[in-house]
């Protein structure tokens, strides 16, 4: 019997009505002769509501307590959905992350899954029960509850799919799948029939919100086919899968933007061995996530160095470096908050030339200045002023002809 993992996001289970509707789909999948594990998010807005309660008590809540608090949202949904399924005569049972043996590291609010025993799930499946697992959570070595980072229920689902060697992981959301870009920004954005793991991983980490980045890494490492689809329709969604020859025919598959970044520039940095390591060690000691580092050619023994950090960490980064500045001999630390990172992603870039030139010239034609550039084999990112974000995305979407009718390589297979 095929084993399917179905994950339902916050809007899909956002009300009692929605929970009933979703239970119908689950019942139909079960009755069609599949084995099934369901993973749920908290009801829409619930995690924010809980975080807001904490903020009314303290502006810097203890991380362990935060995890105890926000893990409860998923627990509520899992029990309600199990009841709705039981109402339909489906033998369902809710489980917390702990009960299904999800062991994580100790990084509260950003924990990584280290091991999954899944014993109780295997047992439930053997007894033809439909387990409904609270997503987003696990426990650490000492059994304290941890959470996997915002959007982490996707990762619970794909990690369980890997642990149970499932045939398919379906991620149900409120959009029809993965689009060439955000349809709210570009109305001609097109749903992709399929996308490679690698492209999806880049798109997720570059700002596409449809899947939690770590869930894609799990899917790629364990070769789990993931289908992103809507729980509000019967559309087939987008299959995230292994790269195939067809995917390489177009240079660009998707465009993302991320406004949640800030740029830090260090001016007058001594151009000597060991300085960069001092700077980035100081940041990493505080778990700061640094991206897009560029250093200018040195002149007269000094150089400038810029990098990006998540917007929420910008002030802290500036503070750390201002403290370090005197000791290391940095002249000034400048923060630019109104930036956006716009990226084009596609495995076809490996075999098409002129992609970067086209991107830069189209941005230039719109009068958009590029502050930083970074590339990998399958992506090019530019940092620009945030006021040009939508214009840049629209311009590039058109330049790479992403909004056109499905091209042959995107036809149904
Ligand atoms: N409820 C959590 C969040 O809002 C996790 C999730 O929905 O995936 O981030
Ligand atoms: Mg999500």
């Amino acid at each position: 019997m095929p084993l399917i993992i179905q994950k339902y996001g916050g809007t899909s289970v956002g009300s009692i009505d929605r929970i009933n509707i979703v239970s119908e789909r689950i019942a139909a999948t079960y009755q069609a002769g599949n084995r099934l594990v369901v993973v749920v998010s908290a009801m829409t807005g619930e995690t924010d509501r809980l975080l807001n309660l904490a903020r009314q008590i303290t502006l810097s809540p203890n991380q362990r307590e935060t995890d105890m608090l926000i893990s409860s949202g998923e627990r509520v949904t899992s029990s309600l959905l199990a009841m709705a399924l039981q109402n339909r005569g489906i033998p369902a049972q809710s489980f917390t992350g702990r009960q299904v043996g999800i062991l994580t590291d100790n990084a509260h609010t950003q924990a990584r899954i280290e091991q999954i025993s899944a014993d109780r799930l295997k047992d439930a499946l053997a007894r033809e029960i439909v387990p409904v697992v609270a997503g987003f959570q696990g426990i650490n070595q000492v059994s304290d509850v941890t959470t996997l980072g915002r959007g982490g229920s996707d990762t619970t689902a794909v990690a369980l799919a890997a642990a149970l060697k499932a045939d398919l992981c379906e991620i149900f959301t409120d959009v029809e799948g993965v689009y060439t870009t955000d349809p709210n920004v570009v109305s001609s954005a097109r749903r992709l029939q399929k996308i490679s793991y690698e492209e999806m991983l880049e798109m997720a980490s570059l700002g596409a919100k449809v899947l939690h980045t770590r869930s894609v890494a799990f899917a790629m490492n364990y070769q789990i086919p993931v289908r992103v689809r809507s729980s509000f329709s019967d559309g087939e969604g987008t299959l995230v899968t292994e790269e195939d020859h067809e995917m390489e025919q177009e240079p660009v598959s998707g465009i993302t933007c991320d406004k949640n970044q800030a740029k830090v520039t260090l001016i007058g940095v001594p151009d000597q061995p060991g300085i960069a390591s001092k700077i980035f060690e100081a940041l990493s000691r505080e778990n700061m996530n640094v991206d897009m580092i560029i250093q200018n050619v040195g002149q007269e023994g000094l150089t400038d160095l810029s990098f990006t950090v998540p917007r929420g960490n910008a002030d802290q980064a500036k503070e750390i470096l201002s403290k370090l500045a005197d000791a290391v001999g940095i002249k000034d630390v400048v923060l630019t908050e109104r930036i956006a990172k716009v990226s084009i992603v596609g495995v076809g870039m490996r075999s098409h030339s002129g992609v970067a030139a086209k991107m830069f010239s189209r941005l230039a034609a719109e009068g958009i200045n590029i502050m930083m550039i970074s590339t990998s084999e399958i992506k090019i990112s530019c940092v620009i002023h945030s006021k040009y974000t939508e214009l840049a995305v629209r311009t590039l979407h058109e330049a790479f002809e992403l909004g056109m009718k499905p091209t042959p390589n995107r036809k149904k297979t």
Side-chain angles (χ1 to χ4, degrees):
M1 251 204 276
L3 175 61
I4 301 176
I5 312 295
Q6 289 190 340
K7 180 257 171 179
Y8 291 91
T11 45
S12 296
V13 290
S15 64
I16 296 301
D17 266 358
R18 288 296 317 165
I19 288 175
N20 277 319
I21 290 171
V22 154
S23 73
E24 206 176 308
R25 188 188 288 266
I26 296 167
T29 311
Y30 178 80
Q31 279 151 356
N34 297 292
R35 289 179 304 147
L36 195 65
V37 174
V38 177
V39 176
V40 287
S41 284
M43 292 165 87
T44 182
E46 179 63 8
T47 310
D48 288 330
R49 189 186 71 84
L50 293 168
L51 284 169
N52 191 36
L53 291 179
R55 247 175 253 125
Q56 290 175 44
I57 291 178
T58 163
L59 286 178
S60 49
N62 177 280
Q63 304 270 78
R64 178 188 179 279
E65 303 314 324
T66 301
D67 275 349
M68 277 298 260
L69 177 71
I70 60 179
S71 61
S72 67
E74 272 68 12
R75 196 162 160 164
V76 170
T77 339
S78 66
S79 49
L80 290 174
L81 181 55
M83 291 175 200
L85 285 165
Q86 289 164 7
N87 257 352
R88 290 180 184 279
I90 307 291
Q93 245 177 37
S94 61
F95 293 96
T96 63
R98 175 192 190 139
Q99 286 172 316
V100 299
I102 298 180
L103 198 68
T104 73
D105 65 13
N106 196 32
H108 279 293
T109 75
Q110 280 296 338
R112 299 181 82 97
I113 295 178
E114 287 186 335
Q115 207 186 313
I116 299 185
S117 69
D119 291 339
R120 292 200 64 183
L121 288 180
K122 288 174 195 157
D123 181 60
L125 288 169
R127 291 188 291 130
E128 297 188 3
I129 286 169
V130 177
V132 184
V133 181
F136 180 51
Q137 55 186 278
I139 52 164
N140 63 15
Q141 294 282 2
V142 294
S143 297
D144 279 341
V145 178
T146 53
T147 63
L148 310 179
R150 296 307 303 271
S153 295
D154 296 338
T155 297
T156 303
V158 182
L160 287 178
L164 296 168
K165 301 190 172 57
D167 298 284
L168 174 66
C169 182
E170 293 183 301
I171 305 283
F172 285 94
T173 174
D174 54 5
V175 292
E176 292 291 333
V178 181
Y179 282 73
T180 49
T181 195
D182 183 348
N184 296 315
V185 175
V186 182
S187 57
S188 64
R190 188 165 45 82
R191 177 178 57 85
L192 297 166
Q193 306 272 3
K194 58 182 174 180
I195 183 168
S196 69
Y197 293 122
E198 238 186 310
E199 288 169 314
M200 193 64 242
L201 192 60
E202 289 280 15
M203 283 178 59
S205 66
L206 293 170
K209 299 210 176 58
V210 66
L211 283 177
H212 195 229
T213 305
R214 275 190 208 148
S215 73
V216 188
F218 260 107
M220 185 158 96
N221 291 343
Y222 293 91
Q223 302 283 297
I224 307 290
V226 173
R227 192 174 281 284
V228 180
R229 50 193 304 202
S230 170
S231 73
F232 294 78
S233 77
D234 286 322
E236 59 170 12
T238 299
L239 184 65
V240 188
T241 182
E242 258 171 272
E243 180 180 333
D244 62 29
H245 178 64
E246 285 174 9
M247 291 175 182
E248 289 222 340
Q249 285 169 12
E250 293 295 321
V252 174
S253 300
I255 298 176
T256 60
C257 62
D258 184 355
K259 286 192 192 176
N260 200 19
Q261 301 269 319
K263 178 165 77 109
V264 181
T265 302
L266 306 179
I267 297 171
V269 180
D271 199 4
Q272 293 158 11
I275 300 290
S277 94
K278 279 201 183 110
I279 293 169
F280 292 105
E281 266 165 22
L283 293 165
S284 97
R285 266 198 300 276
E286 304 292 330
N287 289 323
M288 193 92 11
N289 230 328
V290 174
D291 191 27
M292 284 186 89
I293 303 167
I294 54 169
Q295 184 181 318
N296 287 345
V297 177
Q299 258 183 353
E300 291 163 18
L302 292 177
T303 185
D304 296 342
L305 196 132
S306 296
F307 57 89
T308 57
V309 288
R311 179 87 48 100
N313 296 342
D315 289 331
Q316 199 194 348
K318 186 171 177 189
E319 206 184 298
I320 294 169
L321 294 169
S322 302
K323 273 188 206 147
L324 193 76
D326 275 350
V328 178
I330 299 168
K331 293 223 164 85
D332 202 4
V333 183
V334 180
L335 191 61
T336 317
E337 297 207 71
R338 300 195 57 205
I339 63 158
K341 180 159 71 175
V342 174
S343 311
I344 60 176
V345 176
V347 288
M349 258 177 231
R350 293 196 195 109
S351 48
H352 288 74
S353 57
V355 179
K358 187 168 179 176
M359 179 179 194
F360 304 153
S361 71
R362 293 305 170 101
L363 293 176
E366 297 296 331
I368 301 172
N369 185 43
I370 301 170
M371 301 183 212
M372 299 169 98
I373 299 169
S374 80
T375 64
S376 79
E377 218 189 344
I378 65 159
K379 73 116 197 275
I380 305 168
S381 300
C382 293
V383 168
I384 60 173
H385 193 291
S386 60
K387 71 180 173 197
Y388 295 127
T389 316
E390 282 76 19
L391 175 63
V393 171
R394 245 181 279 123
T395 302
L396 296 172
H397 196 261
E398 202 186 300
F400 290 99
E401 297 173 11
L402 294 178
M404 294 191 5
K405 296 253 149 42
T407 43
N409 68 317
R410 295 297 181 196
K411 262 189 196 146
K412 249 196 267 180
T413 46

